Each structure stands twice: as C-alpha cells, then as structure tokens.
C-alpha cells in the first residue's frame, strides 16, 4: 500500500513538447525536454499518488518504473488523454504547441528538380485547443463535489527582463486559465529548457502570496509544486 499525503489520489502530469505533423517525417516542435514534468511525476509518486505521465518525450527508467507512461505526439492526442482521465490532480507541465499545420500531408513533401520551379510550400497554421483551459471548464461544469475537489496546475514559460514582468503576466495567466496554481518559469537564452536547474514562482488563485523556489534542481521545484497541491487537498 502506498503511503503519504497523496495516497489514494490520481495524478496526471503532462510533459515534453508536442509535435505537430507537417508530413509523415516532419513536425513542428519546441525545445521542451520534459524534465520538469518527469520531476513532477516522480515527486507525486513519492507522496503516494497513482501517477499517469502523458508525455511526448521518453522518461528516464527511474521515473518510468514508478508511473504509468502514455506516449503521445500532438496536442490533440494529449488533449484526449487528459480530458478522459479526470484525475484528482492535473499538472500541465507540457509545452503544448499553440498552433499546428492546418493539415498534415499524407506523403513526404518533396522539392522539385530540374523544372525551373524553385518554389517552396506554404504551411498554413491553425490554433490548437487549449488543454488546460478545457480541463478547467470540464471540471467546473460538474456540480458534484468530487469534481470540485480536483486541483489543476498550469505552467507559464515567460520571457521577461524583470521578475516583476514575469509575475505580472503570470497572475494574469492564472486568472485567464482558471487553474488553482500557476508555476511561472523564466525562459530564453538557455534558461530552463533542457537545464536541470531553474527558478519558479508558485502562484495560487486563492492568495496574492507568491512562493519563489530556486535557482534549484527541477526535483526541488517539483517537490514544492506537489507539496502545494497536496496542501490544497487537505485545506479544502
Ligand atoms: O498560454 P500558455 O501557453 O502560456 O499557457 C501555458 C500553460 O497552458 C501550460 O500549463 C500548458 O501546458 C498549457 N497549455 C495547454 N494547451 C495549449 C497551450 C498551453 O494546455 N494549447
């Protein structure tokens, strides 16, 4: 039997950057490594939760051995897994592409040879669904107390020159997305993406207080995020 503050709770963590198909061999992607999501999944397992990791990137063996791993590629595939699960705690650590090619070519797009035609294809983009916002709406549409007890955590990768900027945008994003907690990271210039250390600001919807963690290993930030989510369960 698992023990700990999240024993008996289901936790779903998304990780990595989504891949949006251009054709069978190419995709639009981003620089997310998945490390933050892996660390969150491990931290939730440490607290006794039953964890599902919905990820585009392969987790290390020490994480994979302790959680259910569901590999996905696109935002739409990730959305399906998230919305069908309705976990007690949802942590959207994945970098979900805001846009995808309007259609994926069914065969590899080729360049022309020797025709004098050196034109290039135009890729039209369309908006992807906002998984986090939809998960919040799905929860809030359910009047039963089970659904209201669910906790949803979003992430924000903000590029800002000053912390004030980052926090300002993060507070606005927390309100806009309607989640309970927002974890704001500063990104850009090799900061955060792919790194083992980062600085995170933890904002919660029911308080103006901000907890800043780091610069610290992602495992440390992950533990702080999961502790905060666990404390919301115990106080509600
Ligand atoms: O709006 P922005 O992309 O900055 O929000 C980031 C948060 O929203 C992250 O938690 C990310 O996983 C989530 N997100 C999402 N679906 C999208 C875009 C972002 O769930 N299409």
């Amino acid at each position: 039997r698992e023990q700990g503050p999240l024993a008996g709770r289901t936790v779903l963590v998304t990780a990595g950057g989504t891949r949006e198909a251009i054709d069978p061999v190419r995709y639009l992607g981003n620089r997310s490594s998945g490390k933050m999501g892996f660390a969150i999944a491990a931290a939730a397992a440490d607290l006794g939760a039953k964890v599902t990791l919905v990820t585009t990137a392969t987790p290390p063996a020490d994480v994979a051995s302790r959680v259910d791993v569901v590999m996905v590629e696109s935002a739409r595939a990730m959305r399906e897994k998230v919305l069908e699960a309705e976990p007690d705690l949802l942590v959207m650590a994945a970098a979900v592409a805001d846009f995808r090619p309007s259609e994926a070519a069914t065969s590899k797009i080729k360049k022309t040879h020797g025709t004098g035609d050196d034109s290039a294809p135009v890729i039209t983009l369309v908006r992807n669904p906002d998984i986090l916002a939809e998960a919040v709406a799905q929860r809030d549409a359910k009047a039963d107390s089970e659904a209201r007890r669910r906790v949803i955590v979003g992430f924000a990768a903000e590029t800002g020159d000053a912390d004030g900027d980052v926090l300002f945008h993060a507070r606005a994003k927390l309100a806009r997305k309607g989640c309970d907690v927002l974890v704001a990271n500063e990104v850009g210039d090799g900061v955060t993406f792919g790194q083992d250390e980062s600085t995170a600001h933890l904002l919660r919807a029911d308080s103006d207080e901000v907890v800043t963690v780091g610069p610290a290993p992602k495992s440390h930030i992950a533990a702080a995020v999961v502790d905060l989510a666990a404390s919301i369960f115990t106080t509600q």
Side-chain angles (χ1 to χ4, degrees), residues 14 75 78 91-99 128-134 153-158 173 176-177 182-183:
T14 63
M78 183 174 279
V91 183
M92 283 294 306
V96 182
D98 292 319
F99 310 103
N128 259 336
D130 187 321
I131 304 169
L132 176 58
E134 279 194 67
V153 179
F155 272 69
E158 303 287 0
K173 185 165 292 183
R176 194 165 63 239
K177 300 266 186 176
L182 191 87
V183 183

Side-chain angles (χ1 to χ4, degrees), residues 31-37 93 95 155-159 166 183-201 213-218 221:
R31 295 186 192 282
S32 172
S33 65
K35 283 180 180 173
M36 192 67 229
F155 272 69
E158 303 287 0
T159 48
V166 171
V183 183
N185 290 115
E186 216 161 308
V187 297
D189 281 343
V191 187
T192 296
F193 279 172
Q195 306 292 309
D196 293 316
E197 293 223 339
S198 70
T199 299
H201 308 284
V213 189
K218 286 183 178 175
I221 292 169

Side-chain angles (χ1 to χ4, degrees), residues 68-82:
D68 288 329
V69 178
V70 179
M71 299 293 303
V72 295
E73 288 215 342
S74 67
R76 285 185 296 174
M78 183 174 279
R79 170 185 179 275
E80 207 176 291
K81 297 299 177 192
V82 168

Side-chain angles (χ1 to χ4, degrees), residues 156-167:
E158 303 287 0
T159 48
D161 300 325
D163 273 5
D165 262 11
V166 171
L167 292 181

Side-chain angles (χ1 to χ4, degrees), residues 12-87:
L12 189 150
V13 182
T14 63
T18 63
R19 296 175 168 195
E20 309 298 332
I22 295 170
D23 68 19
V25 296
R26 304 184 180 96
Y27 60 81
L28 288 179
N30 62 66
R31 295 186 192 282
S32 172
S33 65
K35 283 180 180 173
M36 192 67 229
F38 301 159
I40 301 259
D46 285 343
L47 297 192
K50 182 183 181 320
V51 181
T52 303
L53 177 62
V54 178
T55 179
T56 65
T58 305
D62 61 312
V63 175
S65 62
R66 308 168 58 209
V67 305
D68 288 329
V69 178
V70 179
M71 299 293 303
V72 295
E73 288 215 342
S74 67
R76 285 185 296 174
M78 183 174 279
R79 170 185 179 275
E80 207 176 291
K81 297 299 177 192
V82 168
L83 296 184
E84 78 187 14
E86 304 195 42

